Amino acid sequence: MREDSDCRSWRSAADLLGADAAAPIAVLGAPLAEGSLTPGRCDLAPAALRAALQRMSVYDLETEADLSPLRVFDAGDLDLKQLSPADAFAPIEARMRELTSKHGLTLLIGGNNAVTRPAAHALGSLRSVGVLTLDAHFDLRDTDCGLTNGNPIQALLEDGLPGANIAQLGLLPFANTRRAHEKAKAAGIHVVTARQCRAWGLARAAAEALSYLAARTERIHVDFDIDVIARSQLPGAPGARPGGVEAQDFFDAARVVAAHPRVASVDLAELDPSLDVGQVSALTAARWFCEVLAGYQRRG
């Protein structure tokens, strides 16, 4: 009986998660659903991603990367049930500040996109923080009606984050307003449209954006709003639209992002498992998770 048989030695990506608080990588669930412009169940995403990790191996045959040596501290999920984005800010920011001070990379699993604002604050003074978003939307809606998943970038600007410290990739036509575009221009945000990302490759666009931000900031938070992927490839996101980026481009960009030494934290937002079909979206999120780990492994 062979001890190295696949049926005996199989390891899934889920096996990398554990209780070792000294692990170089941490993952935290932030199941925030309140404040979504389109009501849904983004609060189910952390559990759906963890379950899907059981179906992912730890070996990438294309690059021969093996994730087996990596350790990931699973910090569990925050209790955000029925909390508004405003009320959820403090618990998310406090826990992310603690984790990002102890780990080389922290993955925050939303929840809706309102989790991005406290994650950016957790990295320190906003004057020295960079924010990169991979998103079909600017998230620059006005805040006069309260905080939502449609205005974390606007809220960060109002908090004091310089527009020059922000880069946004994957923005789609007919998914944003003229007012939002004009706000982005006026603030000096680095903008790359979905068409440009398809032409260049999202990984290249991400690499150039990170170089731009690294020249201006000390630590970077990256928001992976999963609705940047074309809806035909990502049914489990209420904001996904036709014309978004390819899932493979999303994976390639995730690896590039996680390899960058200034990236201290990333979030995955707007995954709604209640809309999923055949676990396509959950498995996409799990593959993203593996790509992030493979990218971090490149830091050496």
Side-chain angles (χ1 to χ4, degrees):
M1 195 175 293
R2 294 185 53 177
E3 292 301 323
D4 64 346
S5 167
D6 280 341
C7 67
R8 295 177 179 277
S9 62
W10 163 265
R11 292 193 70 192
S12 74
D15 294 325
L16 303 177
L17 276 59
D20 182 2
I25 303 170
V27 59
L28 174 67
L32 180 64
E34 297 297 317
S36 295
L37 296 174
T38 303
R41 295 301 309 274
C42 288
D43 56 307
L44 301 175
L49 185 147
R50 286 188 179 91
L53 287 177
Q54 298 175 23
R55 298 178 61 185
M56 310 299 291
S57 87
V58 294
Y59 180 67
D60 172 16
L61 64 86
E62 292 181 337
T63 64
E64 300 188 15
D66 187 349
L67 304 181
S68 297
L70 287 178
R71 294 169 298 133
V72 181
F73 172 53
D74 189 347
D77 292 352
L78 293 169
D79 183 6
L80 305 177
K81 188 175 182 179
Q82 297 183 338
L83 289 187
S84 68
D87 291 335
F89 177 90
I92 296 174
E93 192 272 344
R95 189 62 170 130
M96 284 295 289
R97 185 177 293 272
E98 178 184 3
L99 292 172
T100 56
S101 70
K102 296 178 179 178
H103 303 273
L105 181 66
T106 300
L107 288 70
L108 179 66
I109 311 302
N112 66 36
N113 222 153
V115 303
T116 298
R117 177 175 172 245
H121 273 272
L123 298 187
S125 169
L126 291 180
R127 306 297 297 184
S128 62
V129 171
V131 173
L132 170 61
T133 73
L134 290 75
D135 195 337
H137 308 97
F138 282 110
D139 290 344
L140 286 170
R141 290 175 181 253
D142 294 325
T143 60
D144 57 316
C145 294
L147 297 176
T148 69
N149 65 337
N151 58 25
I153 302 303
Q154 177 63 34
L156 282 167
L157 287 173
E158 294 175 8
D159 293 339
L161 179 68
N165 289 15
I166 304 170
Q168 299 192 271
L169 312 180
L171 298 146
L172 273 175
F174 307 109
N176 293 282
T177 64
R178 178 188 293 276
R179 177 173 169 78
H181 195 191
E182 290 175 347
K183 282 184 182 181
K185 291 177 181 177
I189 294 173
H190 177 78
V191 173
V192 184
T193 67
R195 180 180 292 276
Q196 290 171 312
C197 289
R198 289 194 301 272
W200 299 349
L202 188 59
R204 172 187 163 188
E208 292 186 0
L210 287 170
S211 294
Y212 165 84
L213 292 174
R216 293 163 172 77
T217 63
E218 297 175 5
R219 306 179 84 193
I220 299 171
H221 174 76
V222 182
D223 162 39
F224 287 89
D225 183 332
I226 206 163
D227 71 22
V228 75
I229 301 174
R231 194 175 184 91
S232 60
Q233 298 185 27
L234 203 289
R241 297 288 183 269
V245 304
E246 299 283 318
Q248 183 60 55
D249 284 344
F250 190 72
F251 302 145
D252 293 344
R255 194 174 294 211
V256 167
V257 164
H260 199 285
R262 293 284 180 90
V263 175
S265 56
V266 299
D267 71 56
L268 184 78
E270 299 298 328
L271 171 63
D272 184 346
S274 72
L275 300 177
D276 209 355
V277 177
Q279 287 192 299
V280 169
S281 306
L283 288 168
T284 299
R287 170 69 183 273
W288 167 87
F289 187 97
C290 293
E291 294 290 348
V292 168
L293 266 56
Y296 181 81
Q297 197 173 47
R298 288 183 177 178
R299 297 190 191 186

